[in-house]
Amino acid sequence: MKLATLQALNRARQDRRAVALVTDLDSGEERLVAESAIASDPLGALLAVQMRQGKSARVEQDGRSYFVTVHVPPVKLVMTGAVHISQALVPLARLLGYDPVVVDPRTAFASPERFPDVRLVADWPDVALPPLGIDRYTAFVALTHDPKIDDPALAHALARDCFYIGALGSRKTHARRLERLRAEGISDQALARIRAPIGLDIGAISPAEIAVAIIAEITSALRLESGEKKPRLPA
């Protein structure tokens, strides 16, 4: 690998930017393609698939062979609400290789005893979220039912373009939530990105089952092409 390519790759890793290293297997030529430039790349469609899957692979186009090495930032899962669903979500997230973080200013809930060995931030979202570096490789889940905690956190997640944003609550609860966020100046287009009721419709009842539905929906948002899988409609 050329030094300039290696330096560019290291900068992308530090900045949590996804890139693909394309090596022409016939000529040995290599180039680094940023995720933002994939649409205009000659191998754009193939690179998009590999990026979405997070997998490196050999691909072929127009009689030439290439090896695509995918470098995608680790996925974060940030949750507001140190609740029972979060307790079930943390081990599921870890099993899938996500980096879970729990945010809740209510210290009676956000305690190391209830959440051992997980990054726990017992502070309000306006203080807790900015240092977490939330970005488009972050899934955000609002679980508290408390507008003072969930609303500013949802606004932050929308502003940082998280690839998945979900919120717990009934249809009526979500409608009131949308009214409050709309009053804060957030557009309807942005608000449409919030998935509520949260999680795939698997008939989940218990906190553990709801956690499974949520992690499944997050995975579908990460792996499936935009629009290929639609969120569950409110009941």
Side-chain angles (χ1 to χ4, degrees), residues 173-194:
T173 296
H174 188 56
R176 291 194 293 269
R177 176 188 293 130
L178 293 180
E179 288 179 4
R180 293 191 302 270
L181 292 173
R182 199 175 287 117
E184 294 295 323
I186 300 176
S187 70
D188 286 339
Q189 183 179 5
L191 294 175
R193 296 197 57 227
I194 301 175

Side-chain angles (χ1 to χ4, degrees), residues 162-174:
C162 294
F163 76 89
Y164 174 91
I165 302 172
L168 194 67
S170 67
R171 183 180 181 180
K172 288 184 178 179
T173 296
H174 188 56

